[in-house]
Amino acid sequence: MAIDVYLNFNGNTREAVEYYAEVFGTDAPHIMTFGEAPPDPSHPLPEEAKRLVMHARLQIAGSTVMFSDVFPGMPFKEGNNISLTLMDADEEKITGWFNKLKEGGTVSMELQKTFWSNTYGSLTDKFGIQWQLSQDNGQNG
């Protein structure tokens, strides 16, 4: 297990991830857009979100760095667009860490099943650090 860095951008993730891939000489990244995610009829996707990057990942000098555009209408502040990501196959570990980190903090998304993870949640801890916790099902990438 490692703590990974997650970087958010305001509509220019594709440009940033391609730039970093060139700078660090990595393999070309797989880029998934919000438009490629499974549709949810109860939450239709705005047209302007379809082309934005939902997830991309690079291996840089042995570390995983992940990237995403912020969803339209969500707050973005350059400099505060970094979160730490914990992935582990053990759901009990994910739940335990999440419950401890949320004490005195603010939950953005309660732990829940998503199409990419059986257990995923995000929060800001009492020190203002943003965290994403995800059960690794071996398909995260």
Side-chain angles (χ1 to χ4, degrees), residues 9-21 29-34 36 50-56 58 67-69:
F9 294 86
N10 199 19
N12 60 341
T13 296
R14 184 177 301 275
E15 176 185 357
V17 79
E18 289 173 352
Y19 169 77
Y20 292 126
H30 170 74
I31 296 176
M32 179 183 185
T33 65
F34 285 104
E36 293 171 310
K50 290 181 180 178
R51 65 169 184 76
L52 295 176
V53 174
M54 180 177 183
H55 181 75
L58 293 176
F67 304 81
S68 179
D69 281 311

Side-chain angles (χ1 to χ4, degrees), residues 2 4-5 7 23 27 44 49 68 86 92 106 109 117:
D4 299 325
V5 177
L7 304 174
V23 167
D27 292 336
S68 179
L86 278 169
E92 286 183 30
T106 305
M109 184 175 176
S117 175

Side-chain angles (χ1 to χ4, degrees), residues 45-126:
L45 194 62
E47 196 59 40
E48 69 270 21
K50 290 181 180 178
R51 65 169 184 76
L52 295 176
V53 174
M54 180 177 183
H55 181 75
R57 171 188 232 159
L58 293 176
Q59 291 296 318
I60 300 173
S63 294
T64 300
V65 180
M66 295 176 278
F67 304 81
S68 179
D69 281 311
V70 294
F71 199 78
M74 297 298 291
F76 175 84
K77 182 176 180 192
E78 195 170 293
N80 289 344
N81 52 325
I82 298 173
S83 61
L84 300 178
T85 303
L86 278 169
M87 288 195 295
D88 197 282
D90 186 331
E91 184 177 9
E92 286 183 30
K93 282 185 183 177
I94 296 295
T95 301
W97 293 331
F98 187 89
N99 288 335
K100 288 177 184 175
L101 286 167
K102 77 178 185 180
E103 291 175 12
T106 305
V107 173
S108 307
M109 184 175 176
E110 283 291 348
L111 286 175
Q112 59 191 267
K113 183 175 177 56
T114 63
F115 71 87
W116 68 87
S117 175
N118 285 332
T119 309
Y120 172 86
S122 60
L123 58 88
T124 302
D125 71 19
K126 65 182 178 182

